[in-house]
Structures are given as structure tokens and as C-alpha cells.
Amino acid sequence: MSQKQSSIRPLVFQGDLSEEITKEYEKDDHLAVDCEMMGLNPRRDRLCVIQICDSKNKASLVQILPGQTQAPNIQLLFEKKSIIKIFHFGRMDLTFLKARLGISVNPVFCTKIASKLARTYTDKHGLKELVKEFFDESMDKGKQSSDWGKKILSKEQLEYAAGDVKYLIALKHILTEMLVREGRLEYADKCYGFLGTLVDMDLLELKDIFEH
Ligand code: MN
């Protein structure tokens, strides 16, 4: 793990962000967001952790408790029109946030969609690959599949979780420049605009409507 990656220590909260940090995040126009779950099925699996990082690299980690159905401070930020929420593969996170906490995240930017539209010279669109290409840093994805539902997360899990939101705002700026240069920004914007509907359809299991 590089020096830089281990330097972000997130503030840890249970259930929701504090009023104090919510007020601070509210002033920003960008928030990087990532979620960790027990698995990939939004009906079966619990949403365990939400990580948030602002433009000043202030990272927070919120542990979502078993049975929890609301997080008002997170909801306020995630539905606030003046703040762009940046995800990597937002489709999955948005589905869990909707299914588990009733949050309709908006507006959204997804670095995976942006990468697929801009970086047609490769088929590698993982966060790890983007971080390698643009920042020449190696991300350790070793803790991706670990028990995010446990009460006390390990130091390694906290660092991993914070690392996942660390690069997203910078990536948004880089990928937006590429999208503008390649004349594809409009496609990206329209895809983000459709994400909320896609998430609702995912929850209804209306899959692959564009397929043959
Ligand atoms: Mn993650």
C-alpha cells in the first residue's frame, strides 16, 4: 500500500453522519461516494457501509446498522441538487441506497460510465485500472470481499474503504475533459440522467430491455 493511500483515515460514524460533518459536506459541490454490502443482491444482502469524501479529501465512513431503514443526513446530501455525487459503477450503489434507505441519489456522475464512453482504447474500466493509468498508483483490492457487516471494522478495511472514494473527484475532472474532447459528454450526461430509472427497473427485475 502506498504512503498516499494509507494517509486517509476516515471519521467513523454509526447509522448516519453527524450534524457537524453534514453541514461541512453541504457546502461542497462534489462528494465522492462508495458503498460496501454483504453481497450483490439488494433484497438479500445488507448495505453495511457508506463512504463519503469531499473536495478537501475529508473522508467519512458510516456503518449502517442491521434493520436500519433511514439515514436523514445522508439522504439530505445525496438528494441535494447542488452537490454532484460521484460513484464508480453507481448502478449497484444506487440500487442499494434506494432499496435499503429509500434514498434517490441525484445528481450523479459515474466514473465507470464516463470511462466506457471516453476510453474506447481499452476494455479495462475498473477503478484500479483508472487509478493506475491517471495517477500511477496501485490500489490494493484485497479487502473488497470481506465481512463489512461486522461491528468493529479492521484498520485495513477502514483504509481500503477510504481508498475507494479518494480518487473519484479527481477522476471525474479528468474523464470529463476526455468526454468533452471526444464529443461524448452529452451521452454521459444522458446516461446519468437515466440511472435513477434504471435502478428502479433493476429493483423490479426488468432486465436487458435493450437486448434482442
Ligand atoms: Mn468499495
Side-chain angles (χ1 to χ4, degrees):
M1 187 173 285
S2 71
Q3 190 59 44
K4 259 182 162 176
Q5 193 166 342
S6 58
S7 64
I8 290 192
R9 283 289 163 79
L11 300 164
V12 179
F13 299 97
Q14 268 78 43
D16 201 355
L17 291 168
S18 67
E19 302 296 329
E20 192 189 348
I21 192 89
T22 303
K23 287 213 170 71
E24 203 172 320
Y25 283 158
E26 243 190 307
K27 291 185 228 147
D28 213 316
D29 52 3
H30 287 84
L31 287 176
V33 183
D34 186 40
C35 299
E36 307 298 337
M37 310 79 156
M38 285 304 287
L40 298 178
N41 181 330
R43 274 177 231 291
R44 181 192 63 191
D45 301 320
R46 198 157 71 74
L47 170 60
C48 302
V49 171
I50 302 174
Q51 306 101 280
I52 301 170
C53 184
D54 69 4
S55 303
K56 289 178 264 171
N57 258 350
K58 186 156 201 148
S60 299
L61 184 152
V62 181
Q63 291 182 283
I64 304 301
L65 312 170
Q68 184 177 339
T69 56
Q70 287 180 320
N73 290 339
I74 292 174
Q75 181 160 17
L76 176 97
L77 296 170
F78 284 10
E79 296 184 354
K80 198 177 169 89
K81 296 285 188 290
S82 59
I83 308 172
I84 300 177
K85 274 66 66 174
I86 305 154
F87 293 81
H88 185 79
F89 193 47
R91 184 178 182 176
M92 184 61 69
D93 298 309
L94 260 56
T95 303
F96 273 81
L97 287 164
K98 187 69 171 279
R100 295 292 172 173
L101 297 174
I103 297 175
S104 301
V105 187
N106 183 49
V108 168
F109 185 101
C110 176
T111 52
K112 188 161 202 157
I113 291 173
S115 175
K116 283 184 172 183
L117 286 169
R119 296 169 65 253
T120 42
Y121 51 83
T122 178
D123 59 357
K124 302 224 166 9
H125 302 285
L127 183 58
K128 193 184 166 83
E129 280 79 32
L130 292 176
V131 167
K132 184 72 202 162
E133 177 172 326
F134 295 118
F135 307 108
D136 198 28
E137 288 194 35
S138 307
M139 282 182 92
D140 180 4
K141 296 300 277 181
K143 283 285 170 288
Q144 186 162 33
S145 306
S146 61
D147 179 8
W148 291 102
K150 63 184 186 185
K151 224 171 166 179
I152 312 280
L153 297 172
S154 69
K155 184 172 148 278
E156 289 76 20
Q157 281 178 308
L158 293 180
E159 284 179 358
Y160 168 84
D164 263 1
V165 281
K166 183 185 158 184
Y167 302 95
L168 295 179
I169 296 178
L171 276 175
K172 180 208 177 234
H173 296 310
I174 292 168
L175 290 166
T176 297
E177 255 179 58
M178 287 180 80
L179 287 165
V180 170
R181 190 189 74 204
E182 300 304 321
R184 303 216 179 105
L185 186 65
E186 192 190 340
Y187 296 130
D189 285 339
K190 286 190 169 153
C191 289
Y192 307 143
F194 181 63
L195 261 184
T197 305
L198 185 62
V199 162
D200 289 342
M201 293 198 308
D202 281 349
L203 288 169
L204 289 170
E205 289 175 45
L206 291 166
K207 297 274 183 195
D208 301 323
I209 56 151
F210 296 115
E211 301 295 308
H212 173 60

